[in-house]
Amino acid sequence: MGQKITIEPVTRVEGHGKVTIHLDNEGKIEQTRLHIVEFRGFERFVQGRPYWEMPVLVQRLCGICPVSHHLAAAKALDVIVGAGTGEGLTPTGEKMRRLMHYGQMFQSHSLHFFHLASPDLLFGIDSDPLKRNVIGVALEYKDLAVQGVMMRKYGQEVIKATAGKKIHGTGAIPGGINKHLTEEERDYLLHGNEYMNIDKMIGWAQDALEFFKEYHKKNTAVIDGFAEFPSSYLSLVRKDGALDLYHGVLRAVDTEGKKILHDVDYQEYNKYIDEEVKSWSYMKFPYLKEIGKTNGWYSVGPLARLNTADFIDTPLAQKEFEEFRSYNNGKPSNRPMHAHWARLIEILHSAEKIKQLLNDPDLMEGELVTKGTKKYEGVGLIEAPRGTLFHHYKIGENDMITMANLIVSTTNNNQPMNIAVNQVAVKVMTGKKEITEGMMNAVEVAIRAYDPCLSCATHALGKMPLEFEIYNASEQLIERKYRG
Amino acid sequence: MTSEKRILIYGYGNPGRQDDGLGVLLAERIEKWAAEEGLKGIVTDSNYQLNLEDAEAISGYDTVIFADASQEDIADYLFSPLVPSASVEFTMHAVSPAFILHLCHEAFNRFPDTYLLHIKGYSWEFMNNMTPPAKINLEKAVEFVKAFLKS
């Protein structure tokens, strides 16, 4: 074993990860791994709890995307309370949940682009890390920074109006939703004020897309040539093949766009998907059973969704989707940095959907909950901002949870992130005498493209150092660096 | 102070992780107390962690107190003026109050008097119950904030 470099934690991703890059004596990359070093064990913690607690309890998995867990759990419990597997809710129940979800997608994607990704694009991967953050953006591109903040806020206001509060919302309940949208809430979200109205959000989403496309034109090599590798892609799609972030069937395509999972019912996901455990990570490695452990891995998230869907059912996002697909000759894009492009198209789509829903009278009146015959097992899937999220529960006669299996989006992206990290490490570090901050950031840029969420949903002052270590061929520590 | 200024008490943390919820509980206690006392102009808010949009949220206040659990080597609680900082945070999960304040200055051109209240915590497991010494620290911090707001 040669030199070892450890980057811990990775900056500007959600949570705590560690990258180790092992170099041989010639400076060539032997191996690169993204380690997930935290253990949460939620699948065990929830056993023995009443099933109706799940939509609120599982939000504590993550302070970043609690809404996704809230909705995925609620969808699984819809099955258990006999409200169907996705099409059984009342129009009000489904549309309120969709509004909540599009609000979550809008705010989460906006956060990622403006706060986490844009500093790399605006200032360059090699730029001063003290400048390469949202404060730097605010200093030099004030309008962009303000837009990012206000888009985040708008999404959070949508969540508050549908879930009842910003965190630990209670809106989605087994079988439906617990509130209507009020006239006041609707009017605020439609026409609130100069900065807080849906038309402004749609305009800003379009501006962000233009910003990215202009950057892409000028920096084609950075966006197209960064860590490209073939992958399969998995996501929900609507039954007619449209992009659907809330509900649908499971589809996977290979790197050429050929279907390898044929729009199957996700209630039977474990017929098609299994998870492999590896000794060096707490995170599992999912794969398609039919293809096998070695080659059956896949990517999820914005890029995967645009690679699997046939079309988008909102006009502005559809126009952008056509441009995206045309650029890639109608085939899946295998370029991780295109995830930023895809994410921006989804921001626009989410804003269009929010506007459609806010003008729908079903949100303000009608039955909230569907009741049916109890079942003892249910699966809920949703396209979370970072990709497909699986919640699977079984209950006993006393209504307590007896089994829970969660496959979170970042877990689905485990193998592709490892491959991307290795690609970049080989490209920027091979043969170099010194590992610079810029090289380290290049590795992290590859990870950030997947917007991984490794969050442990806790924090405390003084808890989070940032360091990486360099070891020589004899495994002796020769350098330790701190950042942040 | 309370009759003229708009004041925000913002507690953040995860009440599902024992003492990590100290800041949130402080905000809840102050909200109840302010209502009982009939104090105007005091607003409370809480969240898992600070987010980018909090820069805009604090821009509408004259005085802001961020309250959070702390693992630092302090006796019970520590109250200090907050100095803005542009230092890079390693995750959005840990956006610091200093970072939020700096973003408030740069993006919104507002300069609220801002303080940080660290409350000493001891345990961070997946449980709702705070540790006994953390409860004592919370009581002390609540009394301090009440006195500060009345001064």
Side-chain angles (χ1 to χ4, degrees):
Chain A
M1 179 61 71
Q3 194 182 31
K4 182 172 83 169
I5 299 152
T6 304
I7 311 170
E8 182 182 13
V10 174
T11 60
R12 283 185 288 134
V13 298
E14 309 301 0
H16 187 149
K18 177 174 75 171
V19 175
T20 58
I21 301 163
H22 302 264
L23 306 177
D24 64 17
N25 289 328
E26 281 80 50
K28 288 184 180 168
I29 306 285
E30 274 186 348
Q31 189 180 65
T32 310
R33 283 174 172 172
L34 173 63
H35 302 251
I36 308 306
V37 293
E38 65 186 51
F39 175 70
R40 291 177 297 178
F42 254 80
E43 291 158 325
R44 298 287 299 175
F45 297 148
V46 300
Q47 287 180 27
R49 307 294 305 181
Y51 73 77
W52 54 82
E53 284 185 358
M54 289 309 106
V56 173
L57 189 63
V58 294
Q59 292 179 80
R60 297 195 172 177
L61 274 163
C62 177
I64 307 299
C65 50
V67 171
S68 301
H69 289 292
H70 180 58
L71 289 171
K75 287 184 76 181
L77 297 174
D78 291 342
V79 183
I80 284 173
V81 300
T85 58
E87 285 92 12
L89 299 191
T90 66
T92 305
E94 174 165 345
K95 288 171 184 175
M96 278 291 279
R97 284 192 189 179
R98 281 184 176 272
L99 181 59
M100 189 194 304
H101 187 45
Y102 292 121
Q104 157 81 351
M105 196 65 74
F106 186 81
Q107 64 87 11
S108 179
H109 277 358
S110 297
L111 174 72
H112 182 272
F113 180 73
F114 287 97
H115 187 120
L116 304 175
S118 77
D120 290 326
L121 303 182
L122 290 166
F123 301 121
I125 290 167
D126 291 330
S127 61
D128 181 354
L130 291 175
K131 181 182 179 183
R132 198 181 56 224
N133 61 70
V134 76
I135 299 292
V137 176
L139 286 168
E140 291 197 33
Y141 304 88
K142 187 171 177 175
D143 288 350
L144 204 63
V146 170
Q147 279 176 31
V149 171
M150 299 313 289
M151 288 168 83
R152 270 278 298 181
K153 182 175 179 178
Y154 184 87
Q156 294 285 39
E157 294 292 333
V158 173
I159 292 166
K160 195 172 163 186
T162 49
K165 49 185 182 170
K166 283 188 296 189
I167 56 165
H168 294 177
T170 56
I173 56 176
I177 196 87
N178 68 1
K179 75 185 284 284
H180 291 105
L181 196 71
T182 66
E183 197 173 335
E184 187 184 12
E185 287 164 339
R186 181 201 62 187
D187 291 347
Y188 173 66
L189 293 170
L190 276 174
H191 316 295
N193 60 41
E194 181 192 354
Y195 290 108
M196 292 293 286
N197 66 78
I198 189 58
D199 289 325
K200 175 69 80 177
M201 296 303 140
I202 290 171
W204 280 347
Q206 289 177 295
D207 291 348
L209 259 164
E210 288 310 311
F211 165 83
F212 177 83
K213 288 192 289 188
E214 196 57 35
Y215 178 88
H216 187 190
K217 268 185 209 164
K218 293 175 183 169
N219 301 275
T220 308
V222 172
I223 297 297
D224 290 356
F226 193 91
E228 182 177 2
F229 60 91
S231 172
S232 300
Y233 300 94
L234 177 137
S235 81
L236 288 176
V237 294
R238 203 165 68 188
K239 282 182 177 173
D240 61 358
L243 174 75
D244 196 323
L245 304 173
Y246 175 76
H247 186 63
V249 288
L250 257 184
R251 175 186 290 184
V253 299
D254 68 13
T255 192
E256 292 295 318
K258 181 170 159 277
K259 277 191 201 176
I260 51 176
L261 193 58
H262 297 263
D263 299 3
V264 299
D265 177 2
Y266 66 68
Q267 292 301 316
E268 300 179 322
Y269 79 97
N270 49 11
K271 270 189 185 175
Y272 309 100
I273 291 168
D274 205 348
E275 297 170 272
E276 185 185 9
V277 174
K278 294 188 181 181
S279 61
W280 49 268
S281 178
Y282 279 126
M283 205 155 69
K284 296 175 190 169
F285 288 75
Y287 63 94
L288 293 168
K289 284 182 180 179
E290 194 176 325
I291 300 173
K293 289 180 185 177
T294 307
N295 297 314
W297 57 271
Y298 51 83
S299 303
V300 300
L303 186 60
R305 290 190 285 257
L306 265 59
N307 283 337
T308 54
D310 298 326
F311 67 100
I312 298 180
D313 69 349
T314 55
L316 298 176
Q318 170 62 16
K319 187 167 167 287
E320 299 293 339
F321 175 75
E322 288 167 8
E323 190 177 331
F324 174 86
R325 290 301 285 264
S326 170
Y327 186 86
N328 292 291
N329 302 313
K331 301 228 167 153
S333 166
N334 292 311
R335 296 155 168 157
M337 293 294 273
H338 280 201
H340 297 308
W341 191 358
R343 197 172 282 115
L344 288 164
I345 293 170
E346 288 191 339
I347 291 176
L348 179 58
H349 171 64
S350 297
E352 289 182 282
K353 281 289 194 183
I354 289 168
K355 186 173 182 178
Q356 278 180 11
L357 286 163
L358 289 173
N359 286 298
D360 190 323
D362 283 342
L363 291 176
M364 301 176 67
E365 58 189 17
E367 291 293 321
L368 298 172
V369 177
T370 303
K371 292 179 179 168
T373 306
K374 186 169 83 171
K375 296 186 175 174
Y376 293 87
E377 182 173 2
V379 178
L381 254 69
I382 199 161
E383 283 296 332
R386 295 160 182 82
T388 319
L389 169 64
F390 298 63
H391 276 231
H392 179 190
Y393 302 106
K394 291 181 184 174
I395 64 167
E397 287 296 338
N398 59 359
D399 290 344
M400 301 296 179
I401 298 285
T402 58
M403 187 286 295
N405 186 44
L406 313 180
I407 308 177
V408 301
S409 316
T410 296
T411 300
N412 283 309
N413 275 331
N414 200 353
Q415 186 64 18
M417 282 193 298
N418 272 278
I419 292 169
V421 162
N422 194 63
Q423 289 262 13
V424 176
V426 168
K427 190 172 178 178
V428 302
M429 293 183 178
T430 297
K432 298 291 191 297
K433 295 287 184 204
E434 186 190 353
I435 308 302
T436 65
E437 199 282 336
M439 291 178 195
M440 295 289 182
N441 193 51
V443 172
E444 292 181 14
V445 166
I447 299 169
R448 278 200 290 277
Y450 291 89
D451 194 15
C453 183
L454 315 172
S455 172
C456 53
T458 188
H459 71 283
L461 292 163
K463 194 178 167 72
M464 295 188 174
L466 172 65
E467 66 177 315
F468 66 88
E469 296 173 337
I470 302 175
Y471 294 84
N472 66 13
S474 308
E475 288 288 306
Q476 293 170 308
L477 181 65
I478 55 171
E479 190 175 3
R480 176 181 280 140
K481 292 185 181 179
Y482 293 88
R483 292 188 290 170
Chain B
M1 177 185 276
T2 54
S3 59
E4 299 167 6
K5 292 189 172 183
R6 296 198 71 228
I7 300 165
L8 174 67
I9 314 296
Y10 194 136
Y12 58 100
N14 184 352
R17 298 293 296 267
Q18 287 191 291
D19 298 350
D20 198 44
L22 277 163
V24 174
L25 289 165
L26 179 125
E28 288 174 2
R29 291 281 300 276
I30 295 299
E31 180 181 36
K32 191 176 170 201
W33 169 78
E36 288 168 354
E37 297 281 318
L39 297 172
K40 305 292 182 197
I42 296 177
V43 176
T44 62
D45 198 359
S46 60
N47 210 335
Y48 253 160
Q49 64 266 318
L50 297 177
N51 290 306
L52 207 56
E53 64 273 18
D54 291 322
E56 190 271 342
I58 67 169
S59 72
Y61 293 89
D62 302 299
T63 303
V64 177
I65 298 174
F66 286 113
D68 189 15
S70 176
Q71 287 189 324
E72 291 178 349
D73 187 20
I74 57 175
D76 40 24
Y77 67 88
L78 184 67
F79 185 77
S80 55
L82 185 63
V83 179
S85 167
S87 68
V88 179
E89 301 297 327
F90 86 76
T91 68
M92 264 308 300
H93 188 61
V95 172
S96 74
F99 190 84
I100 291 294
L101 182 60
H102 198 28
L103 187 58
C104 177
H105 292 179
E106 298 302 337
F108 297 97
N109 202 32
R110 293 298 306 272
F111 302 85
D113 293 328
T114 308
Y115 302 89
L116 182 59
L117 178 65
H118 300 215
I119 310 170
K120 176 74 172 175
Y122 306 90
S123 186
W124 321 90
E125 299 303 319
F126 280 103
M127 286 193 284
N128 283 318
N129 297 331
M130 276 195 304
T131 59
K135 287 180 184 174
I136 294 167
N137 294 344
L138 175 64
E139 293 306 319
K140 290 179 181 176
V142 165
E143 291 310 311
F144 170 82
V145 173
K146 286 180 185 177
F148 177 82
L149 294 174
K150 280 187 163 180
S151 67

